Amino acid sequence: MSSQEDRFKPYTRNSIKNAPQWKFLDTDQQQAVLAISQVLPFRVNAYVLDELIDWSNIPDDPIFRLTFPHRDMLPSAEYEALCSLESGESRETGAALVRNIRLGMNPHPAGQLTHNVPHVNGVPIKGLQHKYKETVLFFPSAGQTCHAYCTFCFRWPQFVGMSELKFDAKDAASLVDYLKEQPHVTDVLITGGDPMVMNTKSLAGYIEPLLIPELSHIQNIRIGTKSVAYWPQRFVSDADADDLLRLFEKVVKAGKNLALMGHYNHPAELRTPIAQLAVRRIVATGATLRLQAPLIRHINENPQDWAELWTTGVKLGAIPYYMFIERDTGPRNYFEVPLAQAYEIFRKAYQQVSGLARTVRGPSMSAHPGKVVIDGIVELGGEKVFALQFLQARNPDWVRRPFYARYDAQATWFDQLRPAFAEDKFFFEDDVPPGHPGILLPTGLHHAPAPSARHATDLIAVTS
Ligand code: SF4
């Protein structure tokens, strides 16, 4: 099925000038791409350029915003400094500037690098994260890139060569050894980057070891992927697309639930015939495909877009899963939406869809203590509050316990919320899960003024 046109053709900072569409960007837009891509990852491909971006609508086209950097993603002083680098600062000065800007963007949100890595005999296991009791995340080294990069990417340090902030595993051996000792783990999430950048043979090398009888407790194998949106050819016309589908069938036949966690930011990503065919081919293998994405300013603030995404997905056989809140990392100031607005956008979208699309949950924050969903904005005892609960938590006992935070129209992340009703802490702050050495909370979770959006990286341990 493959043809010349179907071959994957990426463009990076070094080659984007060769893309036929480069001439559609005006000088300022071109400068923004070249300046900001010194700090943040930039990669796009011919399918995104040819099929997904409406060039008559740039710079406001959502997929253009999703893939092409904008100058306002950085404070103007940083932006100007990067632009002046272009015209001849020394290499050392440039490297120092780029590094400082990166370090100011909270490169390891929710403490994931330091606090979710499991240890065996005191030695950290590279490329694994184990935050929630039943789910282990696995980062195969060959899957630590994407077919195109999102401008808001929350895993951006993985792609920019900050080697001390990279976490990946060369093979599945340590994962399998770890899982054998963890009978309560039911789910493995293979993630990146995008594991679907691997060819089928390499992917099979990571997945097939999970099918052995000693790992019968692993019921669900999840794969986090953006390929369904950025390169649906992976499931349709790539040279080994059919082999990939046979691999999916093999996993299903082995008695596992194979769930693709499809990252779709906008309904435009599901409008092309090849994207729709990809969904049909995936679900025909017996695998499931779930739709999830963060809510991002400039890209998907319109409730109608979410309703279209979920409705189209259901029609094709996919399952709406999550609307997330943009994470507290990278150029978040440019992309974040206040929690109060996010709640209203979710509600308006949810009201428009049938019960089959109401499998979706949100808006949800993947914060350090767990996944916190905003259930409502209500008035209780004369106080306007956010009604919250954990959908997932470090301590399973916290899940689905309603709790309340003072209403704050400006708040954009969990660490900016304060307990309601004059409480001095949230219920979970003194609570330490059995056998857990301590709960790690962002410094000054509520005791200090809300940290500035870009610098809340310090952590303290709260122990019993
Ligand atoms: S698909 Fe995910 S990991 Fe890849 S660039 Fe987008 S947000 Fe980042």
Side-chain angles (χ1 to χ4, degrees), residues 41 66 145-156 158-159 191-194 225-227 230 263 265 294:
L66 182 58
T145 182
C146 299
H147 289 100
Y149 290 141
C150 309
T151 36
F152 67 84
C153 178
F154 70 101
R155 292 215 169 119
W156 61 273
Q158 292 279 79
F159 309 134
T191 187
D194 189 336
T225 183
K226 179 78 185 169
S227 59
Y230 276 167
H263 182 179
N265 291 99

Side-chain angles (χ1 to χ4, degrees), residues 12 54 77 81 117 122 150 222 262 278 305 327 361 380 391 406 428:
T12 63
D54 174 0
V117 178
C150 309
R222 312 188 203 181
D305 288 338
R327 282 211 195 182
R361 298 178 294 186
L380 286 177
L391 293 176
R406 275 186 246 164
F428 54 87

